[in-house]
Amino acid sequence: MTACVRAMQTITWGVGKVRTAVVALGVCIAFTLSWWIVIRRKKPLEHVVLAAVVIFGFLSNLVMVPGIIPDETAHIQTAYRYSNLLLFQPYATENGDILVRREDAPLSHFSDYTPVKASAWSEMAAEWRFFCSAEGTELVAEPGRDVKTGFISYVPGAVGIALGRILHLGTWPMIYLARMCNLLAYALLLYWAVRVTPVKKFMFLLLGLTPMGMQLAGSLSYDVPMIGLGFLFTAYLFRLIYVTEKIGWREWISCCVMAFLLFPCKFVYCTLLLLTLLIAPQKFGGRWKKTLFVSCVALSGLGSLVVSNLPEIAKYLNDLNVMTSAENSRNMELYTLGWLVSHPGETAKILLQTVRQDFDFFWMNMLGGRLSVFNPAVNWLLILLVTLVMAAMKTPEDSLEIPFRHRLVCLGAFLLTFIGTLIIMLVGFTPFGYGVIEGVQGRYFLPVLPLLFVFLGSKHITINGDAQRWLTTLVITCNAASLLEILMWILQH
């Protein structure tokens, strides 16, 4: 028995050494290539980073089969529902089922790959069909999830699924096409955010290249459009605050449309409205016009939010009258808003306990660690964190200086998003009696992460062009390390 244990320990040690060696070799190759392109050849950073976003998102798409990302099966089912609308078919049947092609049923089988296994690729290869048969296009009803959130979160994926169905692609090619549409939407939104923002362009570039962003962009997660929209809305508001001399009807419509699209996805992102308060009144021609502008943007976003999430909002308002706990669809007793209001001291204690216990998890998860069962080396994530903080410093292109009070507003908006997310998960997910909030993921804070780094940036430290190129090289290398660690973890387990 002892000999067997020692043999297993030796094998495990050997596998770990091989895994480390492969990751180290891959990192060296990635560093050398990025050094050659970014530093030696001095290619434009915007082109390099945006190309890296597409490349790493595509590689992540290949490494992680559909269903491996947490809750991706539910996102696939919801995107399929919206693809039905695009093809002039009902969103749901009378009893709430999804109409799917016979070859695609059951969509729930993608959840089989959430417990990560190396055999997923061979199973996918066995089921792979480039095109759907004539019999397979017949529509059948099957039960499925319906994620209650803004429709914009699923538009790229739904377009990909609808296009795959029009082309009569098989199930797997159709889902991969939908994933690529999600990735291209993310890259396009990031591109426009970098083009639009007058400040911290380099910071926006590198924040768009976090390993977590790449892992999500290579999937059908509904977080992908939210992250891109959050970056773009923030960048556009910075432009109105610091560059635009006169705000006309185009700026009014642009802000209203972005608020209309973003806020229903997760209403904690309504905190971005605080940035509209920083726009100088003279740009509107008077204070009352500025008030009207802020009101229009707020009504556009909040109106879309209310219409899209009316049942959930009604439930939260009803829970204000419940002073103990309420039962949800999972037959669990949860905290309620009424309990939070009537027990402010205990609520604050739960919030503080959650931050104290899980703060490191939020940071690591936001950057790219601890996604599902994956847990890349923390060393790489710490290097990435330091790199992103440095990227927020002043660059030679940043001729505009952000006043300290503006930076405080950015910090306040981020903190309100953070606290709001905790409260939502407390009343919507945490079993009653738990002393720590359950279900909070660091990726929820990615759309407002630029606000935090704007606050952390300093005008007294300047990052020159060479330093920017070295930082870009480090971020690309960290992405390669994260992706290689995930690949080796899958193969090992």
Side-chain angles (χ1 to χ4, degrees):
M1 186 66 180
T2 304
C4 291
V5 172
R6 289 179 178 175
M8 289 301 297
Q9 291 175 343
T10 302
I11 293 173
T12 303
W13 178 85
V15 170
K17 290 296 182 182
V18 171
R19 174 181 173 183
T20 302
V22 171
V23 172
L25 177 61
V27 166
C28 290
I29 295 173
F31 178 81
T32 302
L33 288 175
S34 59
W35 172 84
W36 176 262
I37 295 171
V38 177
I39 298 174
R40 180 79 174 179
R41 300 297 300 274
K42 294 188 180 298
K43 296 295 184 180
L45 290 181
E46 293 86 352
H47 299 167
V48 171
V49 172
L50 291 173
V53 166
V54 175
I55 291 171
F56 280 112
F58 177 74
L59 292 175
S60 180
N61 190 351
L62 295 180
V63 169
M64 292 184 274
V65 300
I68 203 172
I69 299 292
D71 300 324
E72 189 176 11
T73 300
H75 299 318
I76 290 173
Q77 293 171 333
T78 306
Y80 208 107
R81 290 180 183 272
Y82 282 109
S83 75
N84 282 335
L85 293 181
L86 294 177
L87 297 175
F88 305 103
Q89 293 163 355
Y91 180 83
T93 62
E94 292 183 357
N95 60 352
D97 291 344
I98 317 173
L99 284 176
V100 302
R101 299 184 305 180
R102 184 178 298 278
E103 184 163 315
D104 300 332
L107 285 175
S108 58
H109 87 282
F110 288 107
S111 62
D112 296 339
Y113 303 106
T114 301
V116 182
K117 51 186 178 181
S119 61
W121 291 308
S122 60
E123 293 177 17
M124 177 183 66
E127 299 174 0
W128 187 276
R129 302 288 184 277
F130 279 104
F131 294 100
C132 181
S133 62
E135 297 79 10
T137 59
E138 179 186 356
L139 294 180
V140 297
E142 72 158 37
R145 293 278 301 277
D146 181 7
V147 180
K148 304 295 184 180
T149 188
F151 72 95
I152 193 61
S153 303
Y154 291 103
V155 167
V159 168
I161 292 176
L163 183 59
R165 292 168 64 181
I166 291 173
L167 297 175
H168 297 286
L169 297 180
T171 302
W172 286 96
M174 176 189 68
I175 297 301
Y176 272 102
L177 177 61
R179 277 178 150 200
M180 287 304 300
C181 288
N182 230 21
L183 171 60
L184 293 177
Y186 177 77
L188 183 62
L189 290 168
L190 176 62
Y191 169 77
W192 279 110
V194 174
R195 285 284 304 272
V196 164
T197 182
V199 295
K200 307 296 183 185
K201 285 182 179 290
F202 184 58
M203 178 199 71
F204 274 93
L205 272 174
L206 294 196
L207 284 180
L209 197 55
T210 59
M212 175 57 76
M214 295 302 91
Q215 292 165 13
L216 293 174
S219 73
L220 267 177
S221 171
Y222 72 161
D223 290 294
V224 176
M226 281 188 280
I227 297 170
L229 273 173
F231 283 8
L232 180 58
F233 194 27
T234 302
Y236 192 75
L237 289 175
F238 281 153
R239 186 172 190 85
L240 297 186
I241 294 169
Y242 300 113
V243 173
T244 306
E245 296 181 358
K246 184 178 180 180
I247 296 178
W249 62 270
R250 291 182 181 178
E251 288 77 16
W252 284 56
I253 293 176
S254 298
C255 285
C256 288
V257 168
M258 282 187 274
F260 179 86
L261 296 175
L262 177 62
F263 291 177
C265 299
K266 276 191 172 72
F267 58 83
V268 289
Y269 303 141
C270 296
T271 53
L272 289 174
L273 284 173
L274 290 176
L275 297 183
T276 62
L277 303 178
L278 301 179
I279 305 175
Q282 56 266 29
K283 294 186 177 186
F284 299 92
R287 192 171 296 276
W288 71 272
K289 286 188 177 181
K290 174 183 175 179
T291 303
L292 182 61
F293 167 81
V294 175
S295 301
C296 287
V297 175
L299 288 175
S300 176
L302 296 176
S304 175
L305 165 67
V306 170
V307 172
S308 301
N309 299 276
L310 190 58
E312 288 74 20
I313 293 175
K315 173 185 176 300
Y316 285 134
L317 293 177
N318 183 63
D319 285 349
L320 279 172
N321 300 319
V322 181
M323 298 305 171
T324 55
S325 62
E327 203 172 276
N328 76 335
S329 58
R330 296 176 295 163
N331 297 321
M332 296 174 59
E333 292 290 324
L334 303 178
Y335 288 95
T336 66
L337 285 177
W339 187 92
L340 268 60
V341 172
S342 59
H343 300 79
E346 295 181 48
T347 300
K349 182 179 179 181
I350 294 174
L351 294 175
L352 292 174
Q353 178 67 14
T354 301
V355 173
R356 186 186 69 82
Q357 178 173 310
D358 294 335
F359 182 78
D360 61 331
F361 167 77
F362 297 153
W363 264 116
M364 293 300 104
N365 184 259
M366 183 162 50
L367 296 178
R370 305 179 190 178
L371 174 65
S372 185
V373 296
F374 305 123
N375 189 12
V378 175
N379 292 340
W380 291 110
L381 297 175
L382 292 177
I383 293 172
L384 177 64
L385 176 59
V386 173
T387 303
L388 293 176
V389 171
M390 294 298 294
M393 302 303 171
K394 184 179 179 181
T395 65
E397 295 79 16
D398 288 335
S399 57
L400 299 170
E401 291 189 2
I402 302 177
F404 183 69
R405 63 184 182 88
H406 288 195
R407 292 166 57 197
L408 284 178
V409 171
C410 291
L411 177 63
F414 179 84
L415 291 178
L416 284 176
T417 305
F418 180 79
I419 296 172
T421 301
L422 294 183
I423 291 176
I424 289 172
M425 296 306 293
L426 178 59
V427 300
F429 195 83
T430 306
F432 187 74
Y434 275 38
V436 176
I437 301 172
E438 297 288 308
V440 181
Q441 303 294 322
R443 65 179 183 270
Y444 299 158
F445 313 121
L446 275 175
V448 293
L449 188 56
L451 299 178
L452 177 62
F453 281 97
V454 165
F455 172 78
L456 294 176
S458 172
K459 64 180 181 180
H460 303 294
I461 302 175
T462 301
I463 304 298
N464 60 27
D466 290 337
Q468 292 181 58
R469 293 185 175 278
W470 278 106
L471 292 176
T472 302
T473 301
L474 284 175
V475 171
I476 292 175
T477 305
C478 288
N479 268 285
S482 175
L483 191 59
L484 281 169
E485 286 230 6
I486 289 175
L487 176 60
M488 295 307 297
W489 194 98
I490 293 174
L491 293 177
Q492 183 178 347
H493 291 79

